Amino acid sequence: ITECSPENQPSETEILQYGHALHVEHETSHALVDLHWRLGGSFSPLPLTFEELWQQHQSMPLLGASVKTFQTEDLLIYLCVHGAKHFWYKLGWICDIATLVRSQPSLLNDAFMARVKACGAERMVLLGLLAAKQYFGAPLPEVIWLRAKSDSTVVFLLEEVNQRLLTPSPDTHEHIGPRLYRRYLQLRMRERFRDQASLWLAIISSILRPTKRDREVLRLPSWASCLYYLVRPVHCIQRYGWRFLQNL
C-alpha cells in the first residue's frame, strides 16, 4: 500500500480480497500494528495455512500475560520468509533470527531443512541463517553453512543485503532499488521454477488489476466490469509509458 500513489490506493474491499494485512497506526502514540489474515500473500511459501499455524500455536508469557505465538519451527521459517520479502532492510529482523537460533540451536537439524526444502523456502532460510551468523555470530551447523555457501545465488543475495544495510538511504524502496530490480531479487530467492512462475503470475495479476483511478476515468456498468482488465494496460501505457515498466 505504501508504494501506491494516492490515486491508485486500493479500496478496503480490494485490500481484503487481494491483500494479506492491514497496517494500523495509533493517532497519538503512532504505535503500529499489522493485522494479518494471510501470511505474506503470494510471496510466502509457508508449509502451513494460516488456520493450521493457528491450531498448532504455542503460548508464551509477555508482560504478565500469556500470548499465543507460532511453534518455534514455524516461527523461524516465517521470520526468514518475511525478511526475504522485504529484502532484510532492517537489521533487527536479522537479529530476531540470530536470537531464536541461539535460544534453540537444536532446531537446525536435517528434518527442519528437509521441510524447508519441500515447501520451496530453502534459499530464503539459508539467506536468513547466513546473515544471522555473519552479523550476530548465530550458531550454524557446518553442513548448513556449507550448503548456504555452495549456493552462488545465496552468496549473491547476501552481498546485496550487505550493500544495502551499509548504505544509508532516506527511502526504503529507493534503498533497495527500482521496483523492477526488487522483483528480480524476489525471483532469485525462489529456487524452484514453479514458484518463480507463480510469483510472475502474481506480479502480472497485480499489474493488470484495475484501480480506483481506472474506474473513475472510465465508467462502466457492473455487468461490463471485466473490461477494465483490458483497459488497464492501455491506460497505464498512455499515462506512464516507461515508468509503468519500471514499476512492474
Side-chain angles (χ1 to χ4, degrees), residues 58-189:
Q58 62 182 358
S59 298
M60 63 174 293
L62 179 65
L63 300 177
S66 178
V67 298
K68 297 177 180 179
T69 186
F70 299 147
Q71 284 191 350
T72 307
E73 184 176 299
D74 297 333
L75 179 60
L76 180 55
I77 296 175
Y78 176 69
L79 290 176
C80 289
V81 171
H82 176 265
K85 175 186 176 183
H86 297 288
F87 208 66
W88 301 106
Y89 70 83
K90 290 185 177 179
L91 190 61
W93 293 337
I94 301 177
C95 181
D96 291 339
I97 300 292
T99 302
L100 184 58
V101 170
R102 189 174 289 112
S103 67
Q104 298 195 39
S106 61
L107 179 65
L108 301 179
N109 52 44
D110 293 341
F112 172 77
M113 293 308 299
R115 183 185 179 206
V116 166
K117 185 177 181 64
C119 71
E122 182 182 39
R123 189 167 284 167
M124 299 182 194
V125 171
L126 289 176
L127 177 61
L129 294 175
L130 205 59
K133 179 177 178 60
Q134 173 178 296
Y135 283 94
F136 296 100
L140 193 60
E142 184 177 6
V143 64
I144 297 180
W145 184 83
L146 292 174
R147 174 68 189 93
K149 298 295 288 186
S150 67
D151 188 327
S152 59
T153 299
V154 173
V155 174
F156 161 76
L157 291 170
L158 182 61
E159 291 174 352
E160 291 286 313
V161 171
N162 293 338
Q163 179 179 345
R164 281 150 184 77
L165 279 175
L166 299 176
T167 306
S169 171
D171 188 286
T172 296
H173 301 297
E174 289 181 3
H175 180 53
I176 301 173
R179 192 183 301 181
L180 186 59
Y181 186 64
R182 297 201 303 275
R183 298 302 190 194
Y184 163 74
L185 293 176
Q186 289 175 342
L187 287 166
R188 291 292 300 271
M189 290 182 191

